[in-house]
Structures are given as C-alpha cells and as structure tokens.
C-alpha cells in the first residue's frame, strides 16, 4: 500500500472536505484561541477615518491578517465574530455592518462589491440531526459562496452549503436555506424569490 493511501486526514482537513470532524483537537482549539485574540484587538480598536494611514495600519491590517484573503477597499464595522478567519475570502469593495458572525469551519467566499447589513450571520457549521450522534461530538461544515454585487439585508441568515449568485438582494431577516440564482430578490423564512431583476449593461 502506498504512503498516500496510508495518509489520515486531520480534523481540520476533514472540516474543509465537508466530512464529520471533531473541533476539540489541539490544532483547532489553538486556531480559535488565536482568532479570538485577534478579534478582541479588532473589536476594541479605535475608530478612525478610512482614508488615513492610521486606518490602513490599524483595522485594515488586522482584517488582512485575520482573513484568508481580502481585496481592495474592505471595511468591517466592529464587533465582528468568526471561528477561524483564515477560511474567509472577500473580494474588492466589501462592506460589513455591525455585529456580523461567520462560523467559518469551511470556506466562505464573498465576491466584489458585496454589502452586509447589521447582524448578518453566515453559518457553514452544522451538526447531526440525530441526537444520539450529535451527543458524540462530531460536527461538519459546508462552504458558502456569495457572488458579486450582492446586498444582504440586516439580520439575514445564510445556512450551510449555500451559493448565492451575482446581483442578488436578500431581504432583511431572511433565512436562506437553498441556493439563490443570479439577479433576483429573495425574502422570508425560508427565503423565496419575490422578484426577478434584469441585468443592465454599463453606461
């Protein structure tokens, strides 16, 4: 048997593969602790204008250290919460209002020109529905992907494994449980399409 076939996935690798994993390993516990230390610093940082060196060397630098990748002109209003940070990837011109939570046990990809209202929550994390299995401790996480030019209204919840297309508006307080195609408005619990939008060319 080859060395490759003998390889056992770490719990971190299982999580990124969407497989059941245990989150109480030393590696993942230490990763979450490091993230919480960074978030404590970020959430208690002094507010300054975005067009200053102080902002670039302060909050913006912290965001880039926290996230797996971040594009140009990224702004997040504290407080912000996540599990690991390094699984979060945001594009250019991302704005996130107060009190966002991203449980990034798996990858979260956010496109360009995306806006989050306050209290938006992204939940890649999930647990077994059967209580006997759930009590044993395994959990899993499914990736979330959000396209370009998306506006997610305040208090919306994006559930595990969801893909949201380009040009989408998610109404405030919505719970998104199914994939959303491009250029629609969705709202409600569970979120449903309430309007189709026409993609307009640039002037």
């Amino acid at each position: 048997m080859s060395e490759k076939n003998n390889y056992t996935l770490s719990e971190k690798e299982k999580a990124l593969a969407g497989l059941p994993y245990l989150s109480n390993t030393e590696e993942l516990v230490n990763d979450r602790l490091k993230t919480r230390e960074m978030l404590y610093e970020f959430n208690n940082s002094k507010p300054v204008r975005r067009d200053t060196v102080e902002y670039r060397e302060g909050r913006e630098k912290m965001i880039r250290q926290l996230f797996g990748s971040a594009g140009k002109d990224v702004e997040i209003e504290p407080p912000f919460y996540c599990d690991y940070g390094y699984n979060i990837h945001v594009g250019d011109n991302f704005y996130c209002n107060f009190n966002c939570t991203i449980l990034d046990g798996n990858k979260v990809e956010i496109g360009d020109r995306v806006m989050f209202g306050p209290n938006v929550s992204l939940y890649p994390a999930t647990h077994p529905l059967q209580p006997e299995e759930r009590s044993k401790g395994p959990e899993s996480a499914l990736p979330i992907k959000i396209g370009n030019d998306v506006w997610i209204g305040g208090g919306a919840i994006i559930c595990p494994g969801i893909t949201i297309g380009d040009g989408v508006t998610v109404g405030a307080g919505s719970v998104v449980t199914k994939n959303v195609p491009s250029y629609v408005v969705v709202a409600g619990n569970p979120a449903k399409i309430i309007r189709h939008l026409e993609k307009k060319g640039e002037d």
Side-chain angles (χ1 to χ4, degrees), residues 12-144:
K12 186 174 183 177
E13 290 170 326
K14 290 178 185 177
L16 289 171
L19 300 172
Y21 73 100
L22 297 174
S23 63
N24 60 352
T25 63
E26 184 174 2
E27 178 184 23
L28 292 177
V29 169
N30 288 338
D31 284 355
R32 290 196 299 274
L33 178 59
K34 180 180 178 181
T35 298
R36 279 155 177 70
E37 291 172 346
M38 296 171 70
L39 288 173
Y40 180 84
E41 183 179 1
F42 177 79
N43 288 333
N44 291 279
S45 61
K46 177 183 175 182
V48 294
R49 288 172 55 101
R50 289 176 59 202
D51 58 353
T52 62
V53 173
E54 189 176 2
Y55 177 82
R56 291 192 296 273
E57 293 299 317
R59 286 186 180 176
E60 182 177 321
K61 185 177 181 180
M62 293 181 209
I63 292 168
R64 297 188 184 283
Q65 291 173 338
L66 178 65
F67 285 0
S69 63
K72 298 179 294 184
D73 196 16
V74 172
E75 182 176 13
I76 296 175
E77 302 283 6
F80 173 81
Y81 305 101
C82 64
D83 277 335
Y84 302 101
Y86 51 64
N87 288 326
I88 301 172
H89 304 268
V90 302
D92 297 338
N93 301 105
F94 174 63
Y95 176 76
C96 178
N97 215 318
F98 304 107
N99 208 40
C100 176
T101 298
I102 303 178
L103 303 182
D104 61 315
N106 206 323
K107 187 178 291 187
V108 174
E109 297 178 279
I110 299 169
D112 297 334
R113 300 173 300 278
V114 173
M115 299 189 301
F116 285 3
N119 301 301
V120 166
S121 298
L122 276 59
Y123 296 152
T126 185
H127 299 269
L129 296 180
Q130 192 65 33
E132 292 82 5
E133 287 299 313
R134 190 165 60 243
S135 65
K136 296 176 183 177
E139 58 186 273
S140 55
L142 302 174
I144 289 175

Side-chain angles (χ1 to χ4, degrees), residues 116-179:
F116 285 3
N119 301 301
V120 166
S121 298
L122 276 59
Y123 296 152
T126 185
H127 299 269
L129 296 180
Q130 192 65 33
E132 292 82 5
E133 287 299 313
R134 190 165 60 243
S135 65
K136 296 176 183 177
E139 58 186 273
S140 55
L142 302 174
I144 289 175
K145 186 172 183 178
I146 297 172
N148 300 322
D149 301 298
V150 173
W151 173 25
I152 299 181
I157 295 173
I158 314 299
C159 291
I162 296 300
T163 295
I164 295 176
D166 296 338
V168 170
T169 296
V170 177
S174 298
V175 179
V176 181
T177 61
K178 294 182 179 180
N179 291 343

